[in-house]
């Protein structure tokens, strides 16, 4: 088995949270490591821990915590109290890809040992006071209690949201936008360092480009999914459950107790959401306030922005589709000025997963079911689709040369359609039949007649392609887990002229790119032309990455 395949398949690392429970008499509880994908947040953390260990010349053994001991003792037993304690004057060393600060703190039980502390909302260079509250074999989860001395990068005056420091949604509001973009560039670099080590060693990974900025830094998210839980103790007791997003840290450092203390925060406004999404959130909260007793279990509420061109001669209310309604039962909407359209645009918030939603991008119109995948930041899409289209061009081509596109993981046709001009034929493949139906409909609605879409797993495309490989460029935009080996092998066998790999998880992208170049038959004919992050989600740790490969 190759190293890459081992990395992909044998992903066992002991990173399951330990919850101390009362041990049953005579029974020794054993810590059971859980399998995690190395390219997931917890998997990446293991690489980050190893990096700190290497820097300080420490071994995994030096930071090993006695989780078995904690596991076998009563809550608040002596080991539990030793491990879960306050630690003062902790210097934060690094920022993890997930936005947390990483630090080395003394072990509570052995003066020769240390612990790795994972501290949300702490920045490298901060001097902080923390409370460790959950012990894992190789790290401890902490709450940030106080920033004793801030890092030069920290600027808490930039924080716009009262829930920041407590909500799991945003991690970077205390950084300038330039520093957020630099953080994301580092994430891309680290991803290739961790997951494409052979390519890094051979120095074939180009310098990572500057992260493309989002035109909107707040108020950009066109989809939000607030959630509520209904634990047994709340059923029928008349108390309304919190409706909002997951709880991430204790807010002592911000002196803020809003939102409650349960696993879900009660949130009435999300400043990264668009205006109409927040209006929808306010409507749905008002409805929930009245109707929560009818629910038997927890649920997630969909809030998706929908844009419609309306006729100025007809009352807007008569032209609205199904959408979130206010307390009087009227659909909430916002009318917006749009220089490109002569007719006014109206935005509503859709809550029904089956409702058809419309988005306008670079003069193209896209429709899809509200519950299906579509990119969440409309403001950056014109630049991203332009970037993808330009990078699909085959170098040295003349306008009369044939050019074909393959769009694997095509969704409702975003990249196929926006890249279709000047191209002879586009063929897209997508596992969701619903999305493919919309891709066909979107092509037609935009007057694009050179696109064909098929339903199936990405590799099904190789049964349908009849275009010459050296005149074909391929778009890859897989889900977070990335592409699988079967697909990558067939892609290499097909041997296209160019590949533009778009990814919402740069770690799985780096793994796939190394696998493709180093482990597949024709992979070594390809070179990485460029690599760059795109900021689809300002204020959060997330980064999209585009890697362009060409046959060298
Ligand atoms: C990140 S989305 C990209 C969609 C599209 N490119 C866009 O930007 O709107 C990934 C898409 O891959 C689809 N998908 C997931 N697994 C797949 C597979 N094995 N083969 C083909 N499509 C798949 C999902 O349904 C989803 O639409």
């Amino acid at each position: 088995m190759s190293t890459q395949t081992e990395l992909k398949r044998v992903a066992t690392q002991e990173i399951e949270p330990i919850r101390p429970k009362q041990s049953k008499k005579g029974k020794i509880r054993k810590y059971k490591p859980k399998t995690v994908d190395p390219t997931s947040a917890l998997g990446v953390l293991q690489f980050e821990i190893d990096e700190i260990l290497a820097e300080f010349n420490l071994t995994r053994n030096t930071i090993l915590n006695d989780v078995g001991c904690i596991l076998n003792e009563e809550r608040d037993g002596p080991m539990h109290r030793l491990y879960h304690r306050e630690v003062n004057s902790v210097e934060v060393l690094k920022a993890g890809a997930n936005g947390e600060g990483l630090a080395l703190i003394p072990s509570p039980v052995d003066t020769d040992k240390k612990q790795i502390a994972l501290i949300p909302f702490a920045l490298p260079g901060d001097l902080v006071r923390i409370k460790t509250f959950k012990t894992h074999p190789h790290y401890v989860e902490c709450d940030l209690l106080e920033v004793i001395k801030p890092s030069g990068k920290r600027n808490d005056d930039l924080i716009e949201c009262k829930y920041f420091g407590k909500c799991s949604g945003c991690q970077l509001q205390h950084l300038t936008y330039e520093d957020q973009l630099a953080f994301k560039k580092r994430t891309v670099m680290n991803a290739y360092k961790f997951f494409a080590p052979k390519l890094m060693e051979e120095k074939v990974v180009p310098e990572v480009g500057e992260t493309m900025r989002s035109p909107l830094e707040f108020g950009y998210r066109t989809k939000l999914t607030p959630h509520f839980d209904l634990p047994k103790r709340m059923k029928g007791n008349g108390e309304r459950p919190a409706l909002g997003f997951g709880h991430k840290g204790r807010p002592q450092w911000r002196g803020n107790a809003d939102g409650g203390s349960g696993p879900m925060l009660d949130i009435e406004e999300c400043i990264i959401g668009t205006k109409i999404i927040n209006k929808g959130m306010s409507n749905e909260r008002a409805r929930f306030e009245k109707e929560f007793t009818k629910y038997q279990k927890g649920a997630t509420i969909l809030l998706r922005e929908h844009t419609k061109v309306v006729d100025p001669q007809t009352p807007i209310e008569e032209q609205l589709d199904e959408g979130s309604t206010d307390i009087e039962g009227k659909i909430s909407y916002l009318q917006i000025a749009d220089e490109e359209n002569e007719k006014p645009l109206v935005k509503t918030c859709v809550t029904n997963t089956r409702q058809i939603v419309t988005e306008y991008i670079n003069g193209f119109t896209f429709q899809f079911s509200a519950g299906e995948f579509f990119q969440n930041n409309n403001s950056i899409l014109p630049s991203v689709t332009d970037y993808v289209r330009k990078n699909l061009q085959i170098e040295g081509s003349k306008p009369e040369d044939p050019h074909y596109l393959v769009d694997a993981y095509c969704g409702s046709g975003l990249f196929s359609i926006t890249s279709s001009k000047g191209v002879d034929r586009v063929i897209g493949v997508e596992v969701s039949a619903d999305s493919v139906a919309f891709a066909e409909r979107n092509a037609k609605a935009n007057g694009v007649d050179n696109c064909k879409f098929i339903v199936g797993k990405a590799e099904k495309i190789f049964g349908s392609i009849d275009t010459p490989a050296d005149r074909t460029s391929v778009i890859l935009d897989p889900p977070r887990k990335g592409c699988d080996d079967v697909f990558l092998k067939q892609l290499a066998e097909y041997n296209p002229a160019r590949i533009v790999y778009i990814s919402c998880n740069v770690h799985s992208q780096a793994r796939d790119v190394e696998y493709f170049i180093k482990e597949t038959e024709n992979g070594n004919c390809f070179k990485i032309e460029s690599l760059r992050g795109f900021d689809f989600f300002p204020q959060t740790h997330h980064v999209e990455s585009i890697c362009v490969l060409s046959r060298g």
Side-chain angles (χ1 to χ4, degrees), residues 373-375 409-411 414-415 429-432 456-458 477-479:
F373 178 87
F374 200 80
Q375 309 288 354
Y409 314 89
C410 67
L414 174 67
F415 294 116
V429 62
E430 160 63 50
V431 83
S432 155
K457 289 178 86 176
D477 185 12

